[in-house]
Amino acid sequence: MERRLYIETYGCQMNVADSELMLGQLGRAGYRRVERADEADVILVNTCAIREHAEQRIYGRLGELTRHKLRRPGVVLGVAGCMAQHLRAKLIERVPQVDLVVGPDGYRRLPELIEEARAEPTLAVRSSRVETYGDLVPARADGVRAWVSIMRGCDKFCTFCIVPYVRGRERSLPAGEVLRQVEHAAAEGFREIVFLGQTVNAYRDGDVDFAELLTRANRIEGIARIRFTSPHPSDMSDRAIEAMAACEKVPPHLHLPLQSGSDSVLARMRRIYTVEEYERLVGKIRRAMPGIALSTDIIVGFPGETGEDFEATRAAMERIGYESAFIFKYSPRPGARSADWLETVDEEEKTRRITLLIEEQKDRSLLKNQSDIDSTVEVLVEGATRRTPSEWFGKSAHFKTTVFPHRAERVGDLISVRVAAATPHAVLGEGVRAANFAAVEDVLA
Ligand code: SAM
Ligand code: SF4
């Protein structure tokens, strides 16, 4: 009997990659993916627990999905990912229609777990110190970009963060498996590889460190670009910087999370660097790769963040001059160290701080994008924009969304686009109207 699987993914790229892993596992067990929950006999939700807001949203969605079980009681409803690992049996207490709760280390046995869940509610939340799934072949979505998880887990234990508790200890895939996956993705026609890991640059397999892995991947034919996310500033070795600069397939863009521009906040976050050390690192990176585009993550309203600390973050963002930034309100996560600390910044003040940083970053991003006007950027073509099908988009080497009028380009082509205009979210080729692309959502298909 053919089995039909519907999967929904929340959270970061690691979850996107994990969903592809699950699709691969279940595909080999005879499941076919369907695009609508009402066509499926197994519904999986791959979840995120990084902020409370993510969990609330997923609870809402699970409430909707339980309707399918009411109509067709044989349907299996499974919750995978970080929220599954975080809440374990509590998830079934809160949503009794859930049949399966499976954490990030349980995916190898997914086909068997689904069979068990047909008979009784099933929990698979044991953490593993060794599971990397390096030998499993993911079913990658179509497109130009292949996600390759090169390591799992995290040993940093930043005090705000739930990741080490839900994804377990840091472990790297064998280098041979990573390179085999890159070759496989190249053979499948993917043009860009994104190496994934919570501290991706802490990668190590024997003598092969992150720098060596980049260097070896750079030799693989068919791949045009190799990116990675997220590196931790304290693991950014000179060797990694040299390898980035030397590998022509590694584009000049780096996402380097800062979190805060105040040393006392960074110390309480246990980020293990100071602002000065971070900026020294940025200096080194910019000397090795002049013109490199930088992006970052920032948290506002961490317990004890004073007005002065916040001003220090504003000033650091201005000095460093990021191309773009993901800015979050601090969200206490039960289980993480800081969850027990008194929250000193109320919701209204968090909103004020985040709004200010977002506005300032928007202005900065616009100026950065405008500085590309009249230059030519190299774009990896991804497809038609959502709003205007005759206008296509792709990413520039600086990882800027670039829109251009479509002629004969195909998905996966590397093309040159002369930039004529800019918005805070995109750079636009000749003939593209800025008004059509006021928001990033207007662009991405
Ligand atoms: N491993 C990556 C690193 O260290 O930069 C990022 C992991 S996390 C998926 C992505 C971002 O979420 C973090 O960089 C941080 O800015 C944010 N984040 C994590 N925990 C948070 C919390 N409790 N409240 C608000 N933002 C949080
Ligand atoms: Fe979380 Fe810190 Fe690990 Fe990133 S490095 S996943 S923020 S604990």
Side-chain angles (χ1 to χ4, degrees):
M1 190 186 75
E2 188 189 59
R3 305 241 151 126
R4 283 154 306 164
L5 164 75
Y6 173 77
I7 187 162
E8 237 172 61
T9 308
Y10 293 83
C12 64
Q13 290 98 332
M14 290 220 89
N15 265 9
V16 175
D18 279 356
S19 287
E20 294 180 349
L21 192 86
M22 290 191 252
L23 283 163
Q25 271 304 75
L26 291 170
R28 281 183 289 280
Y31 284 83
R32 180 170 66 84
R33 183 181 192 175
V34 292
E35 295 304 322
R36 291 169 44 158
D38 59 8
E39 294 171 348
D41 36 54
V42 174
I43 299 174
L44 280 182
V45 185
N46 190 6
T47 60
C48 172
I50 198 83
R51 284 168 287 276
E52 196 195 342
H53 176 69
E55 286 193 351
Q56 291 310 333
R57 213 175 129 216
I58 292 163
Y59 269 131
R61 184 59 184 142
L62 284 176
E64 288 168 20
L65 289 170
T66 56
R67 281 185 299 130
H68 298 284
K69 282 201 62 103
L70 292 177
R71 273 194 231 125
R72 294 174 297 136
V75 168
V76 173
L77 177 58
V79 181
C82 296
M83 185 176 164
Q85 188 71 33
H86 187 209
L87 298 174
R88 302 171 179 227
K90 273 191 240 150
L91 233 166
I92 299 187
E93 280 164 29
R94 169 119 181 230
V95 190
Q97 294 86 347
V98 168
D99 303 293
L100 171 64
V101 176
V102 52
D105 288 337
Y107 303 152
R108 187 177 289 274
R109 287 186 56 238
L110 201 51
E112 295 100 278
L113 292 171
I114 290 173
E115 289 317 308
E116 286 172 38
R118 289 183 198 282
E120 58 177 348
T122 302
L123 273 181
V125 289
R126 187 155 342 128
S127 299
S128 164
R129 282 181 176 264
V130 293
E131 180 61 273
T132 62
Y133 304 118
D135 56 321
L136 300 186
V137 183
R140 295 199 161 89
D142 292 342
V144 297
R145 191 167 289 127
W147 311 105
V148 177
S149 296
I150 66 168
M151 48 117 56
R152 300 183 71 87
C154 180
D155 283 352
K156 291 284 190 293
F157 288 92
C158 301
T159 52
F160 53 80
C161 186
I162 193 77
V163 167
Y165 303 94
V166 291
R167 287 195 162 262
R169 295 290 60 73
E170 180 187 305
R171 63 219 108 112
S172 295
L173 270 75
E177 300 283 8
V178 174
L179 297 168
R180 188 186 52 72
Q181 285 203 32
V182 177
E183 280 164 4
H184 192 256
E188 284 184 302
F190 289 97
R191 300 282 282 143
E192 178 173 298
I193 296 294
V194 187
F195 283 155
L196 297 178
Q198 294 296 346
T199 50
V200 71
N201 52 341
Y203 177 89
R204 177 167 287 279
D205 173 34
D207 291 343
V208 182
D209 62 0
F210 184 66
E212 179 62 22
L213 190 73
L214 281 183
T215 307
R216 292 193 189 175
N218 192 59
R219 295 189 199 119
I220 293 175
E221 279 185 30
I223 297 298
R225 287 180 176 169
I226 303 166
R227 301 183 182 278
F228 55 88
T229 196
S230 286
H232 192 286
S234 68
D235 290 318
M236 202 70 208
S237 66
D238 289 354
R239 276 177 54 78
I241 297 170
E242 281 159 25
M244 279 183 74
C247 292
E248 72 285 357
K249 292 180 184 173
V250 177
H253 166 253
L254 185 67
H255 182 71
L256 194 64
L258 171 66
Q259 312 298 0
S260 168
S262 150
D263 281 342
S264 67
V265 174
L266 285 176
R268 273 179 289 118
M269 287 178 163
R270 212 200 280 158
R271 285 294 290 183
I272 55 178
Y273 51 80
T274 62
V275 181
E276 195 190 328
E277 283 163 349
Y278 181 100
E279 291 195 53
R280 221 180 297 135
L281 176 64
V282 166
K284 235 194 263 180
I285 291 166
R286 284 190 163 140
R287 276 192 297 282
M289 288 161 278
I292 188 170
L294 296 177
S295 54
T296 199
D297 290 346
I298 298 286
I299 296 176
V300 297
F302 187 72
E305 183 188 75
T306 61
E308 216 173 294
D309 293 324
F310 171 68
E311 289 305 322
T313 300
R314 267 181 90 183
M317 289 179 76
E318 182 63 36
R319 278 196 310 278
I320 296 162
Y322 295 105
E323 250 72 11
S324 60
F326 297 97
I327 307 167
F328 308 103
K329 287 182 188 174
Y330 170 70
S331 167
R333 306 308 295 130
R337 280 283 296 284
S338 68
D340 301 333
W341 300 353
L342 186 68
E343 278 220 71
T344 54
V345 186
D346 64 24
E347 189 55 32
E348 199 182 326
E349 180 59 15
K350 278 186 196 168
T351 302
R352 190 190 74 81
R353 291 182 187 181
I354 196 171
T355 308
L356 190 57
L357 291 190
I358 289 173
E359 283 306 313
E360 288 182 349
Q361 182 57 49
K362 203 168 151 193
D363 293 346
R364 197 175 299 123
S365 297
L366 178 61
L367 282 177
K368 293 264 179 192
N369 289 350
Q370 283 171 338
S371 71
D372 286 346
I373 291 176
D374 290 335
S375 73
T376 299
V377 295
E378 187 185 61
V379 177
L380 181 57
V381 176
E382 294 195 31
T385 58
R386 185 178 290 176
R387 279 272 182 94
T388 319
S390 62
E391 288 172 351
W392 279 34
F393 77 100
K395 293 283 188 188
S396 70
H398 283 155
F399 207 52
K400 292 181 186 174
T401 300
T402 308
V403 184
F404 56 91
H406 181 242
R407 292 184 192 93
E409 299 83 0
R410 288 163 310 171
V411 174
D413 284 352
L414 264 184
I415 61 163
S416 293
V417 173
R418 191 156 176 84
V419 178
T423 77
H425 315 286
V427 294
L428 311 174
E430 206 100 339
V432 175
R433 286 182 46 228
N436 285 354
F437 300 102
V440 72
E441 295 76 35
D442 297 333
V443 180
L444 301 180

